[in-house]
Amino acid sequence: MIEIRHLKSLKAIAETGKLGLAAERVFLTQSALSHQIRALETHYEITLFQRTPQGLRFTPAGQRLLDLANELLPLIEKSERDLIRLKSDQSGELRIVLECHTCFDWLTPVMDAFRRAWPEVELDLVAGFHSDPWQLLREGKADIVIGGLPEKMRDLRHAPLFKFEIMAVLPLDSSKGNKSRLLAEDFSNETLITYPVPEERIDIIRNVLKPANIVFNRRTAELTVAIMQLVASRRGLAALPSWGIKSYIDHEYVLSKSIGKNGLWSELHATCTADTMSRPYTLDLVNIIKQTCAENLSGIKLL
Protein backbone atom coordinates (compact mmCIF):
# COMPACT_ATOMS: atom_id res chain seq x y z
CA MET A 1 0.00 0.00 0.00
CA ILE A 2 1.49 3.33 -1.04
CA GLU A 3 2.05 5.69 1.88
CA ILE A 4 3.53 9.17 2.11
CA ARG A 5 6.66 7.74 3.74
CA HIS A 6 7.21 5.57 0.65
CA LEU A 7 7.02 8.60 -1.62
CA LYS A 8 9.48 10.51 0.57
CA SER A 9 11.88 7.57 0.46
CA LEU A 10 11.68 7.26 -3.32
CA LYS A 11 12.30 10.98 -3.71
CA ALA A 12 15.35 10.76 -1.44
CA ILE A 13 16.69 7.80 -3.44
CA ALA A 14 16.25 9.70 -6.70
CA GLU A 15 18.04 12.76 -5.34
CA THR A 16 20.99 10.93 -3.77
CA GLY A 17 21.35 7.91 -6.05
CA LYS A 18 22.39 5.74 -3.09
CA LEU A 19 20.40 3.89 -0.45
CA GLY A 20 22.78 4.86 2.35
CA LEU A 21 22.51 8.58 1.66
CA ALA A 22 18.77 8.34 1.08
CA ALA A 23 18.32 6.54 4.40
CA GLU A 24 20.11 9.36 6.23
CA ARG A 25 17.86 11.90 4.57
CA VAL A 26 14.63 10.20 5.71
CA PHE A 27 16.13 9.33 9.12
CA LEU A 28 16.15 5.55 8.67
CA THR A 29 18.87 2.94 8.76
CA GLN A 30 19.86 1.57 5.36
CA SER A 31 18.42 -1.83 6.27
CA ALA A 32 15.11 -0.26 7.31
CA LEU A 33 14.89 1.65 4.03
CA SER A 34 15.72 -1.49 2.05
CA HIS A 35 13.00 -3.38 3.92
CA GLN A 36 10.50 -0.61 3.20
CA ILE A 37 11.26 -0.73 -0.53
CA ARG A 38 11.17 -4.54 -0.65
CA ALA A 39 7.77 -4.55 1.07
CA LEU A 40 6.44 -2.14 -1.56
CA GLU A 41 7.87 -4.20 -4.41
CA THR A 42 6.45 -7.41 -2.93
CA HIS A 43 2.99 -5.93 -2.51
CA TYR A 44 2.79 -4.78 -6.13
CA GLU A 45 5.00 -7.57 -7.53
CA ILE A 46 7.23 -5.07 -9.34
CA THR A 47 10.84 -3.85 -9.28
CA LEU A 48 11.26 -0.17 -8.53
CA PHE A 49 14.91 0.36 -9.42
CA GLN A 50 18.06 -1.39 -10.54
CA ARG A 51 21.61 -1.03 -9.29
CA THR A 52 24.13 0.23 -11.88
CA PRO A 53 27.80 1.35 -11.63
CA GLN A 54 26.48 4.93 -11.77
CA GLY A 55 24.01 4.39 -8.92
CA LEU A 56 20.37 3.39 -8.67
CA ARG A 57 18.28 3.60 -11.85
CA PHE A 58 14.50 3.67 -11.62
CA THR A 59 12.47 1.19 -13.63
CA PRO A 60 9.32 2.45 -15.44
CA ALA A 61 7.29 1.37 -12.41
CA GLY A 62 9.65 3.19 -10.05
CA GLN A 63 9.59 6.27 -12.24
CA ARG A 64 5.78 6.28 -12.13
CA LEU A 65 5.84 6.34 -8.32
CA LEU A 66 8.59 8.96 -8.37
CA ASP A 67 6.41 11.14 -10.62
CA LEU A 68 3.63 10.73 -8.07
CA ALA A 69 5.98 11.75 -5.27
CA ASN A 70 7.13 14.86 -7.16
CA GLU A 71 3.51 15.81 -7.79
CA LEU A 72 1.95 14.94 -4.43
CA LEU A 73 4.57 15.80 -1.81
CA PRO A 74 4.69 19.55 -2.62
CA LEU A 75 0.88 19.68 -2.36
CA ILE A 76 0.94 17.94 1.02
CA GLU A 77 3.67 20.27 2.30
CA LYS A 78 1.72 23.31 1.11
CA SER A 79 -1.47 22.07 2.76
CA GLU A 80 0.33 21.40 6.06
CA ARG A 81 1.87 24.86 5.92
CA ASP A 82 -1.51 26.45 5.21
CA LEU A 83 -3.02 24.68 8.22
CA ILE A 84 -0.25 26.02 10.44
CA ARG A 85 -0.73 29.52 9.07
CA LEU A 86 -4.49 29.42 9.58
CA LYS A 87 -4.22 28.63 13.30
CA SER A 88 -1.37 31.05 14.08
CA ASP A 89 -0.29 34.64 13.78
CA GLN A 90 0.76 34.94 10.15
CA SER A 91 2.66 38.23 10.43
CA GLY A 92 6.07 38.91 11.93
CA GLU A 93 9.71 39.60 11.21
CA LEU A 94 12.83 37.45 10.97
CA ARG A 95 16.21 39.17 10.78
CA ILE A 96 18.87 36.62 9.92
CA VAL A 97 22.56 36.96 10.69
CA LEU A 98 25.07 34.52 9.21
CA GLU A 99 28.14 33.25 11.01
CA CYS A 100 29.20 31.21 7.97
CA HIS A 101 29.39 33.66 5.09
CA THR A 102 29.41 30.98 2.40
CA CYS A 103 25.80 30.40 3.48
CA PHE A 104 24.95 33.24 1.11
CA ASP A 105 25.44 30.74 -1.71
CA TRP A 106 22.39 28.68 -0.72
CA LEU A 107 20.33 31.16 1.29
CA THR A 108 18.72 32.94 -1.68
CA PRO A 109 16.53 29.99 -2.83
CA VAL A 110 15.66 29.35 0.84
CA MET A 111 14.49 32.93 1.27
CA ASP A 112 12.52 32.79 -1.98
CA ALA A 113 10.72 29.62 -0.86
CA PHE A 114 10.02 31.09 2.58
CA ARG A 115 8.58 34.31 1.17
CA ARG A 116 6.21 32.30 -1.02
CA ALA A 117 5.06 30.30 2.00
CA TRP A 118 4.88 33.22 4.45
CA PRO A 119 4.30 36.42 2.47
CA GLU A 120 3.19 38.27 5.61
CA VAL A 121 6.52 37.70 7.40
CA GLU A 122 9.26 40.24 6.77
CA LEU A 123 12.52 38.38 6.08
CA ASP A 124 15.79 40.30 6.09
CA LEU A 125 19.55 39.78 6.41
CA VAL A 126 21.73 41.56 8.95
CA ALA A 127 24.71 42.64 6.85
CA GLY A 128 28.38 42.61 7.77
CA PHE A 129 30.85 40.50 9.75
CA HIS A 130 30.11 40.17 13.46
CA SER A 131 32.59 38.95 16.06
CA ASP A 132 29.72 37.60 18.19
CA PRO A 133 26.56 37.21 16.09
CA TRP A 134 24.67 35.61 19.00
CA GLN A 135 25.04 38.81 20.99
CA LEU A 136 22.85 40.47 18.36
CA LEU A 137 20.03 38.14 19.48
CA ARG A 138 20.37 39.28 23.08
CA GLU A 139 20.49 42.92 22.03
CA GLY A 140 17.36 42.54 19.91
CA LYS A 141 19.23 43.45 16.70
CA ALA A 142 18.65 40.06 15.05
CA ASP A 143 16.14 37.23 15.39
CA ILE A 144 18.03 34.14 14.23
CA VAL A 145 21.68 33.14 13.73
CA ILE A 146 22.67 30.51 11.19
CA GLY A 147 26.03 29.04 12.16
CA GLY A 148 27.67 26.88 14.78
CA LEU A 149 26.53 26.63 18.39
CA PRO A 150 27.51 29.38 20.84
CA GLU A 151 29.59 28.23 23.80
CA LYS A 152 27.05 29.50 26.32
CA MET A 153 23.47 28.92 25.20
CA ARG A 154 21.82 30.36 28.34
CA ASP A 155 18.33 31.38 27.24
CA LEU A 156 18.91 30.59 23.56
CA ARG A 157 17.39 27.68 21.64
CA HIS A 158 18.75 25.95 18.56
CA ALA A 159 17.48 23.75 15.74
CA PRO A 160 20.07 21.49 14.04
CA LEU A 161 20.31 21.84 10.26
CA PHE A 162 23.07 19.75 8.65
CA LYS A 163 26.70 18.62 8.73
CA PHE A 164 29.14 19.55 5.98
CA GLU A 165 32.78 18.94 5.13
CA ILE A 166 35.35 21.71 5.18
CA MET A 167 37.84 21.26 2.35
CA ALA A 168 41.36 22.58 1.92
CA VAL A 169 41.67 24.81 -1.16
CA LEU A 170 44.96 24.88 -3.10
CA PRO A 171 46.26 26.45 -6.32
CA LEU A 172 46.26 24.17 -9.36
CA ASP A 173 50.04 23.86 -9.43
CA SER A 174 50.48 23.30 -5.70
CA SER A 175 53.24 20.91 -4.66
CA LYS A 176 50.65 19.29 -2.40
CA GLY A 177 48.27 18.66 -5.30
CA ASN A 178 49.23 14.98 -5.57
CA LYS A 179 48.23 14.25 -1.98
CA SER A 180 44.93 12.50 -1.32
CA ARG A 181 44.34 14.67 1.74
CA LEU A 182 46.11 17.32 3.77
CA LEU A 183 47.23 16.87 7.37
CA ALA A 184 47.98 19.54 9.95
CA GLU A 185 51.68 19.66 9.09
CA ASP A 186 50.86 20.50 5.47
CA PHE A 187 49.79 23.96 6.67
CA SER A 188 53.04 24.61 8.54
CA ASN A 189 54.46 28.06 7.66
CA GLU A 190 51.78 28.48 4.98
CA THR A 191 49.50 31.50 4.68
CA LEU A 192 45.93 30.61 5.60
CA ILE A 193 43.38 32.86 3.91
CA THR A 194 40.17 33.23 5.92
CA TYR A 195 37.22 35.50 6.45
CA PRO A 196 37.91 38.30 8.97
CA VAL A 197 36.48 36.52 12.02
CA PRO A 198 38.16 35.54 15.32
CA GLU A 199 40.46 32.51 15.14
CA GLU A 200 38.41 30.62 17.72
CA ARG A 201 35.50 30.55 15.26
CA ILE A 202 37.55 29.04 12.41
CA ASP A 203 37.29 25.24 12.46
CA ILE A 204 40.62 24.41 10.88
CA ILE A 205 42.48 26.68 13.30
CA ARG A 206 40.53 25.59 16.37
CA ASN A 207 40.34 21.86 15.65
CA VAL A 208 43.40 21.10 13.49
CA LEU A 209 46.21 23.65 13.56
CA LYS A 210 46.17 24.83 17.18
CA PRO A 211 46.05 21.30 18.72
CA ALA A 212 49.03 20.32 16.54
CA ASN A 213 50.96 23.52 17.43
CA ILE A 214 51.28 24.40 13.75
CA VAL A 215 52.83 27.79 13.00
CA PHE A 216 51.09 29.57 10.12
CA ASN A 217 50.48 33.01 8.72
CA ARG A 218 47.00 34.40 8.29
CA ARG A 219 45.47 36.73 5.72
CA THR A 220 41.82 37.75 5.52
CA ALA A 221 39.35 38.61 2.78
CA GLU A 222 35.63 39.34 3.09
CA LEU A 223 34.41 37.69 -0.11
CA THR A 224 34.65 34.05 -1.19
CA VAL A 225 35.63 35.08 -4.72
CA ALA A 226 38.50 37.16 -3.30
CA ILE A 227 39.74 34.17 -1.28
CA MET A 228 39.59 32.00 -4.40
CA GLN A 229 41.55 34.56 -6.39
CA LEU A 230 44.24 34.74 -3.73
CA VAL A 231 44.54 30.95 -3.58
CA ALA A 232 44.62 30.63 -7.39
CA SER A 233 47.45 33.19 -7.55
CA ARG A 234 49.46 31.18 -5.01
CA ARG A 235 49.11 33.67 -2.15
CA GLY A 236 48.12 30.95 0.31
CA LEU A 237 45.71 28.12 1.19
CA ALA A 238 42.13 28.22 2.41
CA ALA A 239 39.65 25.91 4.13
CA LEU A 240 36.01 26.37 3.15
CA PRO A 241 32.73 24.42 3.07
CA SER A 242 32.49 22.04 0.13
CA TRP A 243 29.38 23.71 -1.30
CA GLY A 244 31.06 27.13 -1.27
CA ILE A 245 33.89 26.03 -3.55
CA LYS A 246 32.09 23.58 -5.83
CA SER A 247 31.77 25.89 -8.84
CA TYR A 248 35.47 26.85 -8.61
CA ILE A 249 36.47 23.18 -8.49
CA ASP A 250 34.15 22.29 -11.38
CA HIS A 251 35.74 25.03 -13.51
CA GLU A 252 39.25 23.85 -12.51
CA TYR A 253 40.11 27.20 -10.98
CA VAL A 254 41.55 25.66 -7.78
CA LEU A 255 42.02 22.22 -6.18
CA SER A 256 40.35 20.84 -3.09
CA LYS A 257 41.46 18.17 -0.62
CA SER A 258 39.95 16.62 2.49
CA ILE A 259 41.58 17.65 5.76
CA GLY A 260 42.76 15.00 8.19
CA LYS A 261 42.27 11.25 8.15
CA ASN A 262 38.49 11.42 8.56
CA GLY A 263 37.86 14.80 6.99
CA LEU A 264 37.08 18.03 8.82
CA TRP A 265 33.35 18.29 9.45
CA SER A 266 31.30 21.10 10.91
CA GLU A 267 27.63 21.70 11.67
CA LEU A 268 25.10 24.41 11.01
CA HIS A 269 22.33 25.26 13.47
CA ALA A 270 19.63 27.88 13.62
CA THR A 271 19.86 29.67 16.97
CA CYS A 272 17.34 32.12 18.43
CA THR A 273 15.47 32.98 21.61
CA ALA A 274 12.84 30.61 23.00
CA ASP A 275 10.10 33.03 21.97
CA THR A 276 11.31 33.22 18.37
CA MET A 277 11.77 29.45 18.14
CA SER A 278 8.16 28.91 19.26
CA ARG A 279 6.76 30.80 16.28
CA PRO A 280 5.37 28.57 13.51
CA TYR A 281 7.12 30.48 10.74
CA THR A 282 10.51 30.05 12.46
CA LEU A 283 10.02 26.29 12.62
CA ASP A 284 8.94 26.30 8.99
CA LEU A 285 12.06 28.27 8.02
CA VAL A 286 14.15 25.49 9.60
CA ASN A 287 12.25 22.87 7.58
CA ILE A 288 12.65 24.87 4.36
CA ILE A 289 16.41 25.23 4.94
CA LYS A 290 16.84 21.48 5.48
CA GLN A 291 14.66 20.52 2.53
CA THR A 292 16.16 23.03 0.09
CA CYS A 293 19.74 22.28 1.07
CA ALA A 294 19.19 18.51 0.94
CA GLU A 295 17.97 18.92 -2.64
CA ASN A 296 20.67 21.33 -3.81
CA LEU A 297 23.86 20.82 -1.77
CA SER A 298 25.87 17.67 -2.36
CA GLY A 299 27.77 15.98 0.44
CA ILE A 300 25.78 17.33 3.38
CA LYS A 301 24.17 15.20 6.09
CA LEU A 302 20.94 16.37 7.68
CA LEU A 303 20.94 16.58 11.47
Side-chain angles (χ1 to χ4, degrees):
M1 303 292 290
I2 300 175
E3 301 177 15
I4 293 176
R5 63 191 178 101
H6 296 139
L7 300 181
K8 290 182 177 180
S9 295
L10 291 172
K11 189 171 187 290
I13 292 171
E15 290 173 350
T16 62
K18 296 182 179 179
L19 279 180
L21 296 177
E24 289 182 359
R25 184 168 297 186
V26 295
F27 304 104
L28 294 174
T29 63
Q30 184 170 338
S31 61
L33 178 59
S34 297
H35 178 76
Q36 183 187 107
I37 296 300
R38 282 197 302 271
L40 196 60
E41 290 178 325
T42 300
H43 179 81
Y44 289 101
E45 298 182 346
I46 55 173
T47 299
L48 294 177
F49 49 78
Q50 299 171 336
R51 290 174 172 80
T52 71
Q54 292 73 36
L56 299 175
R57 182 172 62 85
F58 279 77
T59 63
Q63 185 63 48
R64 179 62 188 91
L65 290 185
L66 180 60
D67 292 341
L68 176 63
N70 291 331
E71 179 180 356
L72 188 59
L73 290 178
L75 294 176
I76 293 174
E77 291 165 1
K78 183 179 184 303
S79 297
E80 290 177 335
R81 187 172 289 122
D82 288 342
L83 292 175
I84 294 173
R85 292 174 65 234
L86 288 171
K87 74 171 185 178
S88 64
D89 183 5
Q90 300 180 23
S91 62
E93 180 183 26
L94 279 179
R95 296 162 296 171
I96 301 174
V97 59
L98 301 177
E99 182 200 18
C100 175
H101 293 275
T102 47
C103 293
F104 281 112
D105 294 336
W106 55 256
L107 192 59
T108 297
V110 167
M111 294 178 71
D112 290 343
F114 181 84
R115 287 182 175 124
R116 289 192 297 269
W118 295 88
E120 304 88 353
V121 178
E122 183 71 23
L123 193 64
D124 199 6
L125 286 176
V126 180
F129 286 83
H130 306 280
S131 59
D132 185 358
W134 302 278
Q135 184 60 31
L136 298 179
L137 301 178
R138 303 180 179 99
E139 296 173 353
K141 296 179 181 178
D143 299 297
I144 187 166
V145 174
I146 296 177
L149 288 179
E151 292 184 359
K152 297 180 179 180
M153 293 290 292
R154 294 199 289 270
D155 59 335
L156 299 179
R157 301 291 183 270
H158 77 278
L161 300 175
F162 56 84
K163 294 176 61 175
F164 60 94
E165 187 173 7
I166 297 173
M167 307 290 291
V169 188
L170 304 78
L172 291 177
D173 59 354
S174 171
S175 60
K176 301 178 177 66
N178 61 343
K179 294 191 173 187
S180 59
R181 58 187 63 246
L182 297 191
L183 303 177
E185 53 266 28
D186 291 312
F187 292 87
S188 179
N189 296 315
E190 293 279 2
T191 296
L192 182 67
I193 306 169
T194 74
Y195 297 110
V197 297
E199 287 190 356
E200 59 268 19
R201 282 174 47 202
I202 301 176
D203 293 87
I204 187 171
I205 296 178
R206 183 180 66 248
N207 298 328
V208 178
L209 303 184
K210 288 293 186 181
N213 295 317
I214 299 299
V215 176
F216 62 95
N217 302 309
R218 186 183 174 200
R219 178 172 179 172
T220 64
E222 292 193 0
L223 300 176
T224 302
V225 63
I227 294 178
M228 293 297 98
Q229 289 173 348
L230 289 170
V231 171
S233 59
R234 300 181 296 282
R235 304 297 179 86
L237 309 180
L240 295 172
S242 56
W243 77 74
I245 62 175
K246 185 177 185 304
S247 62
Y248 300 97
I249 301 300
D250 291 345
H251 288 88
E252 298 184 346
Y253 189 66
V254 290
L255 298 175
S256 68
K257 303 288 181 180
S258 289
I259 300 171
K261 295 180 179 179
N262 300 312
L264 177 60
W265 290 81
S266 189
E267 296 182 354
L268 278 184
H269 297 256
T271 302
C272 56
T273 64
D275 178 62
T276 300
M277 187 62 78
S278 68
R279 300 171 189 171
Y281 51 77
T282 302
L283 298 175
D284 199 30
L285 175 63
V286 170
N287 291 331
I288 290 173
I289 289 174
K290 297 176 76 169
Q291 178 180 329
T292 303
C293 291
E295 292 175 355
N296 296 297
L297 299 182
S298 60
I300 69 169
K301 299 179 180 179
L302 295 182
L303 296 172

